[in-house]
Amino acid sequence: MTLATQTPNDDRGSVDVRQRFFIEDSPVRGDVVRLSRSYATTIAQKAYPEAIKRLLGEMLTAASLLIGTVKIDGHLSIQLQSSDSDSLLNWAMAECNQDGVIRALASWKAETDEQIHAWDKMTLADEAFAELGSTGQGVLFINIQPDGGEAYQGIVERTHDTLSECLAHYQKQSAQIPTLINLASDGLQAGGILVQMLPRTAEEAYEIEQNEDAGIDDDLWIRLSVLTRTVKDEELTTLDANEIIYRLYNEESVVAPDPVALAFGCTCSREKCATAIEQIGEAEALDILEEQNGTFEMDCGFCGEVYTFDKDNVTAIFAE
């Protein structure tokens, strides 16, 4: 599909998508992510403060964008961890797998009236992000876990006051790939765009070197950078992915494959809970049962599913 020749209102289905696009005859690629139902389902699991809702929207969008930059069968997660005991945000994480299944979770302090009042005054994702501490404090991770393979963790330097700028800086510094990232969330919907200029292959570089008339557009990245920075937050959260691409790059030769649908999902299971019980040991598990009148529950923070275990269940776990 060549977006330069389509109308802006061409809607290709679900709002919850990652739409890839390429600029023809160039090393530039990008993705647009739009989240609605899956994001709403995620933040409905807990009574999150408004600022954390928006931060999780940005994180879900970022994870959905970044997994498109790696070729794995597995999942990618973004994790924020405060290094300040006085921070109101303990940690937050968002995850997307190669099939477009997303989920997110956060922990925050709201035990006192002062803390609750502080959250009530925050309405922006950047305010929740700032609870990591000042620039240089707090820890950001990108975790990549291939199915059946070795996990990789990248530490993202806290160089800026927004998640998008930190992630773009990480991509440029660690992968040596110029990257633009815009993220937005209004507490109801979320969206974002990622644009990268990939390195040319040795064959492409040789062809360019041998052919001065190869038609290389030296100003393309500068032009795309200016255009990409013009996108407004409300456009990222309300417009169809294809319309965003069309509005920004309708004078470029843009080609886009079929979009990837995104949806909320969870990987919790009774079997995983049983594994966790195994790790604490039979004696301690039985002690917990006694303290809780013969049953205890394990609930999933991501989806709210509750798994109940009694003495027979625990005994069966350790009898296997």
Side-chain angles (χ1 to χ4, degrees), residues 258-291:
D258 290 337
V260 174
L262 301 172
F264 172 81
C266 192
T267 60
C268 72
S269 68
R270 190 173 181 83
E271 290 71 23
K272 289 184 177 180
C273 291
T275 299
I277 292 172
E278 256 187 315
Q279 292 174 347
I280 67 173
E282 184 174 11
E284 186 170 346
L286 291 173
D287 287 343
I288 295 172
L289 281 172
E290 186 174 348
E291 291 171 3

PDB file of all heavy atoms in Angstrom, residues 258-291:
ATOM      1  N   ASP A 258       0.728  -4.822   5.863  1.00  0.00           N
ATOM      2  CA  ASP A 258      -0.443  -4.990   6.716  1.00  0.00           C
ATOM      3  C   ASP A 258      -0.084  -4.704   8.169  1.00  0.00           C
ATOM      4  O   ASP A 258       1.012  -5.045   8.626  1.00  0.00           O
ATOM      5  CB  ASP A 258      -0.991  -6.411   6.606  1.00  0.00           C
ATOM      6  CG  ASP A 258      -1.639  -6.673   5.257  1.00  0.00           C
ATOM      7  OD1 ASP A 258      -2.058  -5.688   4.607  1.00  0.00           O
ATOM      8  OD2 ASP A 258      -1.712  -7.843   4.852  1.00  0.00           O
ATOM      9  N   PRO A 259      -0.998  -4.098   8.930  1.00  0.00           N
ATOM     10  CA  PRO A 259      -0.719  -3.788  10.333  1.00  0.00           C
ATOM     11  C   PRO A 259      -0.745  -5.037  11.198  1.00  0.00           C
ATOM     12  O   PRO A 259      -1.288  -6.073  10.827  1.00  0.00           O
ATOM     13  CB  PRO A 259      -1.850  -2.838  10.714  1.00  0.00           C
ATOM     14  CG  PRO A 259      -2.979  -3.232   9.823  1.00  0.00           C
ATOM     15  CD  PRO A 259      -2.335  -3.643   8.516  1.00  0.00           C
ATOM     16  N   VAL A 260      -0.143  -4.912  12.383  1.00  0.00           N
ATOM     17  CA  VAL A 260      -0.191  -5.963  13.399  1.00  0.00           C
ATOM     18  C   VAL A 260      -1.209  -5.554  14.455  1.00  0.00           C
ATOM     19  O   VAL A 260      -1.124  -4.456  15.010  1.00  0.00           O
ATOM     20  CB  VAL A 260       1.193  -6.164  14.057  1.00  0.00           C
ATOM     21  CG1 VAL A 260       1.098  -7.148  15.222  1.00  0.00           C
ATOM     22  CG2 VAL A 260       2.211  -6.631  13.031  1.00  0.00           C
ATOM     23  N   ALA A 261      -2.187  -6.409  14.721  1.00  0.00           N
ATOM     24  CA  ALA A 261      -3.185  -6.106  15.742  1.00  0.00           C
ATOM     25  C   ALA A 261      -2.562  -6.232  17.132  1.00  0.00           C
ATOM     26  O   ALA A 261      -1.751  -7.119  17.388  1.00  0.00           O
ATOM     27  CB  ALA A 261      -4.372  -7.053  15.613  1.00  0.00           C
ATOM     28  N   LEU A 262      -2.943  -5.339  18.023  1.00  0.00           N
ATOM     29  CA  LEU A 262      -2.470  -5.352  19.407  1.00  0.00           C
ATOM     30  C   LEU A 262      -3.656  -5.623  20.329  1.00  0.00           C
ATOM     31  O   LEU A 262      -4.761  -5.131  20.082  1.00  0.00           O
ATOM     32  CB  LEU A 262      -1.828  -4.014  19.768  1.00  0.00           C
ATOM     33  CG  LEU A 262      -0.638  -3.586  18.902  1.00  0.00           C
ATOM     34  CD1 LEU A 262      -0.227  -2.153  19.234  1.00  0.00           C
ATOM     35  CD2 LEU A 262       0.535  -4.535  19.073  1.00  0.00           C
ATOM     36  N   ALA A 263      -3.423  -6.389  21.389  1.00  0.00           N
ATOM     37  CA  ALA A 263      -4.513  -6.745  22.296  1.00  0.00           C
ATOM     38  C   ALA A 263      -3.966  -7.019  23.687  1.00  0.00           C
ATOM     39  O   ALA A 263      -2.836  -7.488  23.840  1.00  0.00           O
ATOM     40  CB  ALA A 263      -5.263  -7.973  21.783  1.00  0.00           C
ATOM     41  N   PHE A 264      -4.779  -6.715  24.694  1.00  0.00           N
ATOM     42  CA  PHE A 264      -4.400  -7.035  26.071  1.00  0.00           C
ATOM     43  C   PHE A 264      -4.393  -8.548  26.259  1.00  0.00           C
ATOM     44  O   PHE A 264      -5.255  -9.264  25.740  1.00  0.00           O
ATOM     45  CB  PHE A 264      -5.382  -6.410  27.053  1.00  0.00           C
ATOM     46  CG  PHE A 264      -5.187  -6.851  28.475  1.00  0.00           C
ATOM     47  CD1 PHE A 264      -4.198  -6.273  29.258  1.00  0.00           C
ATOM     48  CD2 PHE A 264      -5.958  -7.864  29.023  1.00  0.00           C
ATOM     49  CE1 PHE A 264      -4.001  -6.672  30.567  1.00  0.00           C
ATOM     50  CE2 PHE A 264      -5.776  -8.277  30.333  1.00  0.00           C
ATOM     51  CZ  PHE A 264      -4.790  -7.683  31.101  1.00  0.00           C
ATOM     52  N   GLY A 265      -3.423  -9.034  27.010  1.00  0.00           N
ATOM     53  CA  GLY A 265      -3.373 -10.459  27.321  1.00  0.00           C
ATOM     54  C   GLY A 265      -2.460 -10.691  28.502  1.00  0.00           C
ATOM     55  O   GLY A 265      -1.637  -9.844  28.851  1.00  0.00           O
ATOM     56  N   CYS A 266      -2.597 -11.834  29.145  1.00  0.00           N
ATOM     57  CA  CYS A 266      -1.781 -12.149  30.310  1.00  0.00           C
ATOM     58  C   CYS A 266      -1.286 -13.579  30.214  1.00  0.00           C
ATOM     59  O   CYS A 266      -1.975 -14.457  29.679  1.00  0.00           O
ATOM     60  CB  CYS A 266      -2.588 -11.948  31.583  1.00  0.00           C
ATOM     61  SG  CYS A 266      -1.567 -11.975  33.082  1.00  0.00           S
ATOM     62  N   THR A 267      -0.104 -13.800  30.757  1.00  0.00           N
ATOM     63  CA  THR A 267       0.508 -15.134  30.714  1.00  0.00           C
ATOM     64  C   THR A 267       0.445 -15.843  32.062  1.00  0.00           C
ATOM     65  O   THR A 267       1.109 -16.855  32.255  1.00  0.00           O
ATOM     66  CB  THR A 267       1.977 -15.027  30.261  1.00  0.00           C
ATOM     67  OG1 THR A 267       2.690 -14.195  31.193  1.00  0.00           O
ATOM     68  CG2 THR A 267       2.083 -14.427  28.866  1.00  0.00           C
ATOM     69  N   CYS A 268      -0.345 -15.309  32.990  1.00  0.00           N
ATOM     70  CA  CYS A 268      -0.437 -15.966  34.290  1.00  0.00           C
ATOM     71  C   CYS A 268      -1.154 -17.314  34.148  1.00  0.00           C
ATOM     72  O   CYS A 268      -1.906 -17.533  33.208  1.00  0.00           O
ATOM     73  CB  CYS A 268      -1.169 -15.081  35.293  1.00  0.00           C
ATOM     74  SG  CYS A 268      -2.947 -14.920  35.003  1.00  0.00           S
ATOM     75  N   SER A 269      -0.935 -18.204  35.105  1.00  0.00           N
ATOM     76  CA  SER A 269      -1.586 -19.516  35.084  1.00  0.00           C
ATOM     77  C   SER A 269      -1.500 -20.149  36.470  1.00  0.00           C
ATOM     78  O   SER A 269      -0.666 -19.753  37.301  1.00  0.00           O
ATOM     79  CB  SER A 269      -0.926 -20.440  34.063  1.00  0.00           C
ATOM     80  OG  SER A 269       0.381 -20.781  34.468  1.00  0.00           O
ATOM     81  N   ARG A 270      -2.325 -21.126  36.703  1.00  0.00           N
ATOM     82  CA  ARG A 270      -2.278 -21.859  37.966  1.00  0.00           C
ATOM     83  C   ARG A 270      -0.949 -22.601  38.092  1.00  0.00           C
ATOM     84  O   ARG A 270      -0.385 -22.721  39.193  1.00  0.00           O
ATOM     85  CB  ARG A 270      -3.439 -22.840  38.048  1.00  0.00           C
ATOM     86  CG  ARG A 270      -3.602 -23.478  39.428  1.00  0.00           C
ATOM     87  CD  ARG A 270      -4.866 -24.307  39.521  1.00  0.00           C
ATOM     88  NE  ARG A 270      -5.000 -24.877  40.862  1.00  0.00           N
ATOM     89  CZ  ARG A 270      -5.511 -24.240  41.896  1.00  0.00           C
ATOM     90  NH1 ARG A 270      -5.960 -23.002  41.756  1.00  0.00           N
ATOM     91  NH2 ARG A 270      -5.586 -24.819  43.086  1.00  0.00           N
ATOM     92  N   GLU A 271      -0.430 -23.057  36.958  1.00  0.00           N
ATOM     93  CA  GLU A 271       0.850 -23.785  36.962  1.00  0.00           C
ATOM     94  C   GLU A 271       1.989 -22.870  37.419  1.00  0.00           C
ATOM     95  O   GLU A 271       2.885 -23.294  38.165  1.00  0.00           O
ATOM     96  CB  GLU A 271       1.144 -24.351  35.577  1.00  0.00           C
ATOM     97  CG  GLU A 271       0.237 -25.501  35.154  1.00  0.00           C
ATOM     98  CD  GLU A 271      -1.190 -25.050  34.842  1.00  0.00           C
ATOM     99  OE1 GLU A 271      -1.390 -23.853  34.530  1.00  0.00           O
ATOM    100  OE2 GLU A 271      -2.099 -25.897  34.924  1.00  0.00           O
ATOM    101  N   LYS A 272       1.983 -21.618  36.985  1.00  0.00           N
ATOM    102  CA  LYS A 272       3.032 -20.688  37.407  1.00  0.00           C
ATOM    103  C   LYS A 272       2.918 -20.382  38.895  1.00  0.00           C
ATOM    104  O   LYS A 272       3.933 -20.207  39.580  1.00  0.00           O
ATOM    105  CB  LYS A 272       2.958 -19.408  36.576  1.00  0.00           C
ATOM    106  CG  LYS A 272       3.398 -19.596  35.125  1.00  0.00           C
ATOM    107  CD  LYS A 272       3.396 -18.283  34.372  1.00  0.00           C
ATOM    108  CE  LYS A 272       3.896 -18.486  32.950  1.00  0.00           C
ATOM    109  NZ  LYS A 272       3.898 -17.220  32.175  1.00  0.00           N
ATOM    110  N   CYS A 273       1.692 -20.301  39.387  1.00  0.00           N
ATOM    111  CA  CYS A 273       1.506 -20.101  40.825  1.00  0.00           C
ATOM    112  C   CYS A 273       2.055 -21.302  41.605  1.00  0.00           C
ATOM    113  O   CYS A 273       2.680 -21.135  42.662  1.00  0.00           O
ATOM    114  CB  CYS A 273       0.029 -19.907  41.144  1.00  0.00           C
ATOM    115  SG  CYS A 273      -0.672 -18.349  40.545  1.00  0.00           S
ATOM    116  N   ALA A 274       1.812 -22.495  41.070  1.00  0.00           N
ATOM    117  CA  ALA A 274       2.318 -23.703  41.734  1.00  0.00           C
ATOM    118  C   ALA A 274       3.838 -23.698  41.776  1.00  0.00           C
ATOM    119  O   ALA A 274       4.450 -24.099  42.777  1.00  0.00           O
ATOM    120  CB  ALA A 274       1.809 -24.942  41.004  1.00  0.00           C
ATOM    121  N   THR A 275       4.453 -23.217  40.721  1.00  0.00           N
ATOM    122  CA  THR A 275       5.914 -23.108  40.693  1.00  0.00           C
ATOM    123  C   THR A 275       6.410 -22.141  41.763  1.00  0.00           C
ATOM    124  O   THR A 275       7.421 -22.393  42.435  1.00  0.00           O
ATOM    125  CB  THR A 275       6.384 -22.634  39.307  1.00  0.00           C
ATOM    126  OG1 THR A 275       5.973 -23.590  38.318  1.00  0.00           O
ATOM    127  CG2 THR A 275       7.901 -22.488  39.259  1.00  0.00           C
ATOM    128  N   ALA A 276       5.689 -21.041  41.946  1.00  0.00           N
ATOM    129  CA  ALA A 276       6.064 -20.072  42.984  1.00  0.00           C
ATOM    130  C   ALA A 276       5.927 -20.683  44.374  1.00  0.00           C
ATOM    131  O   ALA A 276       6.764 -20.441  45.252  1.00  0.00           O
ATOM    132  CB  ALA A 276       5.187 -18.830  42.865  1.00  0.00           C
ATOM    133  N   ILE A 277       4.887 -21.487  44.582  1.00  0.00           N
ATOM    134  CA  ILE A 277       4.704 -22.155  45.873  1.00  0.00           C
ATOM    135  C   ILE A 277       5.841 -23.140  46.115  1.00  0.00           C
ATOM    136  O   ILE A 277       6.362 -23.262  47.234  1.00  0.00           O
ATOM    137  CB  ILE A 277       3.340 -22.869  45.910  1.00  0.00           C
ATOM    138  CG1 ILE A 277       2.211 -21.835  45.901  1.00  0.00           C
ATOM    139  CG2 ILE A 277       3.225 -23.767  47.147  1.00  0.00           C
ATOM    140  CD1 ILE A 277       0.831 -22.421  45.734  1.00  0.00           C
ATOM    141  N   GLU A 278       6.255 -23.832  45.059  1.00  0.00           N
ATOM    142  CA  GLU A 278       7.377 -24.767  45.174  1.00  0.00           C
ATOM    143  C   GLU A 278       8.627 -24.058  45.670  1.00  0.00           C
ATOM    144  O   GLU A 278       9.401 -24.596  46.468  1.00  0.00           O
ATOM    145  CB  GLU A 278       7.655 -25.400  43.805  1.00  0.00           C
ATOM    146  CG  GLU A 278       7.170 -26.822  43.670  1.00  0.00           C
ATOM    147  CD  GLU A 278       7.639 -27.428  42.349  1.00  0.00           C
ATOM    148  OE1 GLU A 278       7.523 -26.743  41.327  1.00  0.00           O
ATOM    149  OE2 GLU A 278       8.135 -28.570  42.365  1.00  0.00           O
ATOM    150  N   GLN A 279       8.823 -22.833  45.188  1.00  0.00           N
ATOM    151  CA  GLN A 279      10.035 -22.087  45.527  1.00  0.00           C
ATOM    152  C   GLN A 279      10.059 -21.668  46.993  1.00  0.00           C
ATOM    153  O   GLN A 279      11.136 -21.540  47.583  1.00  0.00           O
ATOM    154  CB  GLN A 279      10.161 -20.872  44.609  1.00  0.00           C
ATOM    155  CG  GLN A 279      10.447 -21.243  43.148  1.00  0.00           C
ATOM    156  CD  GLN A 279      10.434 -20.030  42.232  1.00  0.00           C
ATOM    157  OE1 GLN A 279       9.983 -18.952  42.601  1.00  0.00           O
ATOM    158  NE2 GLN A 279      10.924 -20.212  41.013  1.00  0.00           N
ATOM    159  N   ILE A 280       8.879 -21.445  47.606  1.00  0.00           N
ATOM    160  CA  ILE A 280       8.906 -21.029  49.015  1.00  0.00           C
ATOM    161  C   ILE A 280       9.017 -22.234  49.947  1.00  0.00           C
ATOM    162  O   ILE A 280       9.343 -22.073  51.122  1.00  0.00           O
ATOM    163  CB  ILE A 280       7.669 -20.189  49.378  1.00  0.00           C
ATOM    164  CG1 ILE A 280       6.392 -21.032  49.321  1.00  0.00           C
ATOM    165  CG2 ILE A 280       7.556 -18.975  48.496  1.00  0.00           C
ATOM    166  CD1 ILE A 280       5.167 -20.293  49.842  1.00  0.00           C
ATOM    167  N   GLY A 281       8.752 -23.435  49.421  1.00  0.00           N
ATOM    168  CA  GLY A 281       8.908 -24.642  50.231  1.00  0.00           C
ATOM    169  C   GLY A 281       7.603 -25.101  50.861  1.00  0.00           C
ATOM    170  O   GLY A 281       6.714 -24.301  51.170  1.00  0.00           O
ATOM    171  N   GLU A 282       7.506 -26.434  51.085  1.00  0.00           N
ATOM    172  CA  GLU A 282       6.258 -27.005  51.588  1.00  0.00           C
ATOM    173  C   GLU A 282       5.948 -26.544  53.010  1.00  0.00           C
ATOM    174  O   GLU A 282       4.796 -26.204  53.324  1.00  0.00           O
ATOM    175  CB  GLU A 282       6.337 -28.538  51.546  1.00  0.00           C
ATOM    176  CG  GLU A 282       5.043 -29.216  51.957  1.00  0.00           C
ATOM    177  CD  GLU A 282       5.093 -30.731  51.764  1.00  0.00           C
ATOM    178  OE1 GLU A 282       6.195 -31.261  51.513  1.00  0.00           O
ATOM    179  OE2 GLU A 282       4.029 -31.368  51.864  1.00  0.00           O
ATOM    180  N   ALA A 283       6.938 -26.520  53.876  1.00  0.00           N
ATOM    181  CA  ALA A 283       6.700 -26.146  55.272  1.00  0.00           C
ATOM    182  C   ALA A 283       6.142 -24.730  55.377  1.00  0.00           C
ATOM    183  O   ALA A 283       5.162 -24.486  56.104  1.00  0.00           O
ATOM    184  CB  ALA A 283       7.988 -26.274  56.074  1.00  0.00           C
ATOM    185  N   GLU A 284       6.741 -23.794  54.659  1.00  0.00           N
ATOM    186  CA  GLU A 284       6.268 -22.406  54.724  1.00  0.00           C
ATOM    187  C   GLU A 284       4.885 -22.272  54.106  1.00  0.00           C
ATOM    188  O   GLU A 284       4.038 -21.522  54.599  1.00  0.00           O
ATOM    189  CB  GLU A 284       7.259 -21.473  54.025  1.00  0.00           C
ATOM    190  CG  GLU A 284       6.898 -20.009  54.188  1.00  0.00           C
ATOM    191  CD  GLU A 284       7.981 -19.068  53.725  1.00  0.00           C
ATOM    192  OE1 GLU A 284       9.129 -19.528  53.521  1.00  0.00           O
ATOM    193  OE2 GLU A 284       7.674 -17.875  53.557  1.00  0.00           O
ATOM    194  N   ALA A 285       4.644 -23.001  52.996  1.00  0.00           N
ATOM    195  CA  ALA A 285       3.327 -22.942  52.359  1.00  0.00           C
ATOM    196  C   ALA A 285       2.241 -23.457  53.306  1.00  0.00           C
ATOM    197  O   ALA A 285       1.152 -22.880  53.404  1.00  0.00           O
ATOM    198  CB  ALA A 285       3.341 -23.759  51.064  1.00  0.00           C
ATOM    199  N   LEU A 286       2.544 -24.518  54.045  1.00  0.00           N
ATOM    200  CA  LEU A 286       1.571 -25.058  55.000  1.00  0.00           C
ATOM    201  C   LEU A 286       1.351 -24.099  56.169  1.00  0.00           C
ATOM    202  O   LEU A 286       0.234 -23.981  56.682  1.00  0.00           O
ATOM    203  CB  LEU A 286       2.034 -26.425  55.505  1.00  0.00           C
ATOM    204  CG  LEU A 286       2.013 -27.558  54.462  1.00  0.00           C
ATOM    205  CD1 LEU A 286       2.644 -28.823  55.018  1.00  0.00           C
ATOM    206  CD2 LEU A 286       0.587 -27.822  53.973  1.00  0.00           C
ATOM    207  N   ASP A 287       2.414 -23.416  56.578  1.00  0.00           N
ATOM    208  CA  ASP A 287       2.271 -22.411  57.636  1.00  0.00           C
ATOM    209  C   ASP A 287       1.331 -21.281  57.184  1.00  0.00           C
ATOM    210  O   ASP A 287       0.504 -20.799  57.972  1.00  0.00           O
ATOM    211  CB  ASP A 287       3.632 -21.823  58.005  1.00  0.00           C
ATOM    212  CG  ASP A 287       4.490 -22.794  58.809  1.00  0.00           C
ATOM    213  OD1 ASP A 287       3.922 -23.775  59.340  1.00  0.00           O
ATOM    214  OD2 ASP A 287       5.718 -22.573  58.887  1.00  0.00           O
ATOM    215  N   ILE A 288       1.488 -20.858  55.939  1.00  0.00           N
ATOM    216  CA  ILE A 288       0.623 -19.801  55.407  1.00  0.00           C
ATOM    217  C   ILE A 288      -0.830 -20.269  55.393  1.00  0.00           C
ATOM    218  O   ILE A 288      -1.753 -19.520  55.743  1.00  0.00           O
ATOM    219  CB  ILE A 288       1.079 -19.391  53.992  1.00  0.00           C
ATOM    220  CG1 ILE A 288       2.470 -18.750  54.043  1.00  0.00           C
ATOM    221  CG2 ILE A 288       0.073 -18.422  53.360  1.00  0.00           C
ATOM    222  CD1 ILE A 288       3.079 -18.482  52.678  1.00  0.00           C
ATOM    223  N   LEU A 289      -1.048 -21.529  54.991  1.00  0.00           N
ATOM    224  CA  LEU A 289      -2.400 -22.084  54.986  1.00  0.00           C
ATOM    225  C   LEU A 289      -3.025 -22.044  56.389  1.00  0.00           C
ATOM    226  O   LEU A 289      -4.193 -21.683  56.557  1.00  0.00           O
ATOM    227  CB  LEU A 289      -2.374 -23.531  54.477  1.00  0.00           C
ATOM    228  CG  LEU A 289      -2.283 -23.752  52.978  1.00  0.00           C
ATOM    229  CD1 LEU A 289      -2.076 -25.225  52.663  1.00  0.00           C
ATOM    230  CD2 LEU A 289      -3.550 -23.245  52.283  1.00  0.00           C
ATOM    231  N   GLU A 290      -2.233 -22.403  57.381  1.00  0.00           N
ATOM    232  CA  GLU A 290      -2.739 -22.424  58.755  1.00  0.00           C
ATOM    233  C   GLU A 290      -3.099 -21.022  59.221  1.00  0.00           C
ATOM    234  O   GLU A 290      -4.122 -20.805  59.878  1.00  0.00           O
ATOM    235  CB  GLU A 290      -1.701 -23.054  59.683  1.00  0.00           C
ATOM    236  CG  GLU A 290      -2.203 -23.260  61.101  1.00  0.00           C
ATOM    237  CD  GLU A 290      -1.203 -24.006  61.965  1.00  0.00           C
ATOM    238  OE1 GLU A 290      -0.225 -24.569  61.420  1.00  0.00           O
ATOM    239  OE2 GLU A 290      -1.395 -24.026  63.197  1.00  0.00           O
ATOM    240  N   GLU A 291      -2.253 -20.055  58.859  1.00  0.00           N
ATOM    241  CA  GLU A 291      -2.499 -18.669  59.250  1.00  0.00           C
ATOM    242  C   GLU A 291      -3.761 -18.117  58.589  1.00  0.00           C
ATOM    243  O   GLU A 291      -4.429 -17.238  59.134  1.00  0.00           O
ATOM    244  CB  GLU A 291      -1.303 -17.791  58.871  1.00  0.00           C
ATOM    245  CG  GLU A 291      -0.050 -18.061  59.688  1.00  0.00           C
ATOM    246  CD  GLU A 291       1.155 -17.314  59.128  1.00  0.00           C
ATOM    247  OE1 GLU A 291       0.973 -16.552  58.143  1.00  0.00           O
ATOM    248  OE2 GLU A 291       2.271 -17.487  59.662  1.00  0.00           O
TER     249      GLU A 291
END
